[in-house]
Amino acid sequence: MPQIICRDLVLGYDKKIVSRNISFEVNRGDYLCIVGDNGSGKSTLMKALLGLLPTMGGSIELSDGLSQSDIGYLPQQTEHQRDFPASVEEVVLSGCIGHKGFLPIYRMSDKIRAHKNLRKLSIDGLQKRPYSELSGGQQQRVLLARALCAADRMILMDEPVSGLDPAATLEMYRITESLNRDDGMTVIMISHDIDAAVRYATHILHLAHEPLFFGTKEDYIKSGAYRGAGEGGINDETDA
Amino acid sequence: MRQTLDLLVEYFSYPFIRYAFIVGVLIALSSSLLGVILVLKRFSFIGDGLSHVAFGAMAVASVAGLTNNMLLVLPVTVIAAILLLRTGQNTRIKGDAAVAMISVGALAIGYLIMNMFSMSANVSGDVCSTLFGETAILTLSKLDVWLCIGMSVIVILFFILFYNKIFAVTFDENFASTTGMGVKGFNLAVAVITAFIIVLAMNLVGSLLISALVIFPALSSMRVFRTFKSVIISSALLSVICASLGIMISVLASTPVGATVVAVNIAAFGVFFAVGALVRRK
Ligand SMILES: Nc1ncnc2c1ncn2[C@@H]1O[C@H](COP(=O)(O)OP(=O)(O)OP(=O)(O)O)[C@@H](O)[C@H]1O
Ligand SMILES: [Mg+2]
């Protein structure tokens, strides 16, 4: 059952094109990894999928009853958030902001949902702690819990493991795998770790301004894009 | 001590002192609430830039001989606020550079206009009181007071009704818009409210010192507190206390109101800084 169908997408900022000819499909329950060099337009594609950036051509079609606000989002971490005064609880609850309610306060159901997600990611002991004083891995889980409060059918993750130590990285992959397998969530993850992408994902989209590859993991391993990426030399025309 | 109190009571029996006190405290309260948003969104200098725009507009208005300056100053400042907040993201000129450009530009043009066309005998006196707000706070009309009360009520209601959204957008604007909340409309509201507060606050501290009222309470509170709610509450309380103290001191010691309030805020920042360092060390 397709949830997202992209056809001949052209993306960019201020009329400057970053990437073109992007076509791919995401089905319910897929685990899609988007790989590619710095500046190849991965985050840009994700912003377009979330409706944060207007497309310059082509189309993004959401089906299977999915709407833009059913997509959870784990952003690439920015410095801005790191010294923000906020407790873990405040951050996670803010995922519920889109739920319609008449009163300007969070409903009981929102609070329950927030706690469930805190427990699911085993950070329920941290809820009163300041977000800024957590480790990178813990912060990442807090943001994931927030995303899960916002949406439970599909999640977009922008480099969720960058800056994490090996143990925290492994834990993040394990959590993602469980969301995908046990909760049936569709996962779209941007990653620089091609080995992990090949290990966990069901599908791969390899970007270099134009897609070098889109298809299942099995086909990707046989493709030139994968072998090229392994040697680190196929898309050296990026501006990174 | 007894004498000081008596003196205060005597001063506060004058309506214009009472007005100044009410207006001063309300402005301090509103600008500190808004300040939390502006500081956290890295828009601290917007307050500064807008106040300079307001100064320029004020210069034009007084030279043009308008009976009510607000008719020109308010719309100009609101438009500038909307333009400046929009440049915060996704544009070629970086937000802070745009603010700096507009801000010094308006300041220079305003001063130039006042010098060239003013009929007043004491141009530098006029300029000085617009910049530092020496006299305006003591010559408030009843209308000004009501305007201020109305504005503060709007700001406080905005904070109560949209508290959760304020947190979500300030913490992570992109994420907030993915949840389907109208971030653009929200930012517009913040811009307009900021402009109103700046224009009102010009009465209290003059245009050069407004950003102090906006940023100090938030920055002080962030030295000590680590959650959003506590920072908001602390900023509001701190700002009200500093403004009250500052106004009373200035009445007793006949110092300039705006500068005194800012000085008290600076002292408070010092205290919060020390407390923050102590708490962190433990
Ligand atoms: N807000 C923006 N305005 C203008 N250009 C941008 C903006 N954001 C990104 N770009 C440009 O778009 C291109 C793609 O950026 P993008 O962030 O999508 O790369 P990425 O693949 O996510 O890289 P990374 O691996 O470093 O995260 C880059 O050349 C970048 O300079
Ligand atoms: Mg990126």
Side-chain angles (χ1 to χ4, degrees):
Chain A
M1 192 93 186
Q3 287 183 317
I4 297 183
I5 304 166
C6 288
R7 281 199 203 89
D8 302 319
L9 218 51
V10 184
L11 299 174
Y13 301 88
D14 295 331
K15 306 229 156 61
K16 215 186 114 236
I17 291 176
V18 169
S19 44
R20 61 174 84 230
N21 293 337
I22 304 176
S23 301
F24 64 95
E25 247 184 59
V26 182
N27 290 297
R28 189 197 290 172
D30 278 0
Y31 185 150
L32 171 69
C33 257
I34 304 177
V35 297
D37 287 352
N38 292 129
S40 55
K42 305 182 296 295
S43 299
T44 306
L45 172 60
M46 196 158 275
K47 282 186 215 156
L49 292 178
L50 289 163
L52 297 174
L53 186 78
T55 58
M56 296 165 75
S59 65
I60 301 175
E61 199 184 303
L62 300 180
S63 53
D64 190 20
L66 200 76
S67 79
Q68 224 128 35
S69 56
D70 291 325
I71 307 177
Y73 174 45
L74 181 65
Q76 200 166 5
Q77 272 209 352
T78 54
E79 281 302 316
H80 171 87
Q81 291 163 358
R82 293 223 169 120
D83 61 346
F84 197 101
S87 68
V88 167
E89 197 174 22
E90 285 176 319
V91 174
V92 174
L93 259 176
S94 76
C96 300
I97 195 75
H99 303 174
K100 298 283 176 289
F102 177 71
L103 289 173
I105 51 170
Y106 291 118
R107 292 168 303 178
M108 210 26 138
S109 58
D110 293 334
K111 290 187 180 158
I112 292 172
R113 185 164 179 174
H115 278 266
K116 257 201 214 133
N117 287 321
L118 282 168
R119 206 164 326 124
K120 187 186 275 176
L121 302 184
S122 31
I123 43 173
D124 42 344
L126 302 176
Q127 48 171 305
K128 297 288 175 202
R129 289 274 299 279
Y131 173 80
S132 57
E133 288 171 10
L134 301 182
S135 74
Q138 291 171 326
Q139 288 187 341
Q140 209 57 327
R141 280 195 227 180
V142 172
L143 295 186
L144 182 56
R146 176 185 69 165
L148 295 178
C149 283
D152 50 15
R153 300 183 56 194
M154 177 183 287
I155 183 141
L156 268 62
M157 312 166 97
D158 196 344
E159 301 192 21
V161 299
S162 69
L164 302 190
D165 66 26
T169 302
L170 209 64
E171 181 65 13
M172 200 62 174
Y173 282 133
R174 196 195 57 72
I175 291 169
T176 313
E177 200 178 19
S178 137
L179 288 175
N180 178 242
R181 226 184 8 216
D182 308 335
D183 301 338
M185 284 184 84
T186 311
V187 173
I188 302 181
M189 180 194 283
I190 293 179
S191 172
H192 279 295
D193 184 351
I194 294 196
D195 292 334
V198 167
R199 180 144 15 109
Y200 295 106
T202 59
H203 292 74
I204 306 279
L205 174 65
H206 191 139
L207 284 184
H209 301 291
E210 284 195 41
L212 288 176
F213 177 87
F214 171 69
T216 61
K217 160 175 86 179
E218 288 74 22
D219 292 340
Y220 180 67
I221 294 173
K222 292 181 211 135
S223 74
Y226 175 58
R227 269 172 268 132
E231 288 147 24
I234 193 148
N235 32 22
D236 47 11
E237 46 168 50
T238 51
D239 41 7
Chain B
M1 191 64 212
R2 194 59 221 260
Q3 264 172 335
T4 331
L5 265 181
D6 285 343
L7 208 57
L8 262 184
V9 169
E10 190 197 324
Y11 278 130
F12 273 83
S13 63
Y14 296 111
F16 71 94
I17 298 268
R18 281 206 302 270
Y19 288 169
F21 189 79
I22 296 172
V23 166
V25 168
L26 287 178
I27 288 172
L29 176 64
S30 326
S31 49
S32 68
L33 285 175
L34 210 66
V36 177
I37 301 183
L38 296 185
V39 165
L40 289 174
K41 286 189 116 221
R42 300 287 186 271
F43 285 158
S44 304
F45 272 95
I46 290 232
D48 209 40
L50 283 184
S51 59
H52 295 180
V53 170
F55 169 80
M58 191 78 105
V60 173
S62 60
V63 166
L66 292 184
T67 42
N68 191 345
N69 288 346
M70 288 300 147
L71 290 182
L72 184 73
V73 178
L74 208 51
V76 168
T77 315
V78 168
I79 291 169
I82 294 169
L83 291 179
L84 283 180
L85 281 181
R86 261 195 22 189
T87 60
Q89 258 147 13
N90 301 339
T91 38
R92 262 157 271 140
I93 306 178
K94 272 267 166 278
D96 54 345
V99 177
M101 252 167 52
I102 294 181
S103 126
V104 289
L107 200 59
I109 303 285
Y111 183 53
L112 202 62
I113 289 176
M114 273 181 127
N115 255 292
M116 279 163 53
F117 302 107
S118 179
M119 301 295 154
S120 157
N122 181 8
V123 173
S124 39
D126 285 354
V127 171
C128 197
S129 79
T130 321
L131 286 179
F132 296 100
E134 303 254 335
T135 50
I137 184 91
L138 298 177
T139 55
L140 294 169
S141 66
K142 256 210 172 100
L143 180 71
D144 294 328
V145 178
W146 280 113
L147 207 63
C148 242
I149 293 176
M151 197 56 221
S152 313
V153 169
I154 291 178
V155 172
I156 292 164
L157 273 183
F158 178 75
F159 262 81
I160 293 176
L161 290 180
F162 296 107
Y163 175 80
N164 291 328
K165 301 204 162 166
I166 290 172
F167 175 82
V169 177
T170 320
F171 182 72
D172 190 342
E173 187 165 323
N174 274 339
F175 181 86
S177 34
T178 66
T179 63
M181 100 167 240
V183 170
K184 284 213 178 90
F186 175 87
N187 280 340
L188 191 71
V190 170
V192 172
I193 291 180
T194 309
F196 268 86
I197 287 181
I198 296 287
V199 171
L200 287 178
M202 274 182 80
N203 289 322
L204 174 66
V205 292
S207 48
L208 273 190
L209 300 179
I210 289 173
S211 43
L213 279 193
V214 173
I215 61 173
F216 266 111
L219 287 179
S220 305
S221 305
M222 282 166 61
R223 303 307 310 177
V224 174
F225 295 101
R226 285 282 176 272
T227 69
F228 193 69
K229 193 178 265 166
S230 55
V231 165
I232 294 247
I233 293 172
S234 153
S235 300
L237 287 178
L238 182 65
S239 187
V240 165
I241 292 170
C242 288
S244 315
L245 267 179
I247 294 173
M248 284 195 253
I249 292 173
S250 81
V251 165
L252 289 172
S254 347
T255 49
V257 182
T260 313
V261 171
V262 173
V264 174
N265 267 294
I266 294 172
F269 179 79
V271 172
F272 274 64
F273 187 90
V275 170
L278 277 178
V279 170
R280 214 74 39 75
R281 257 226 321 256
K282 268 195 281 181

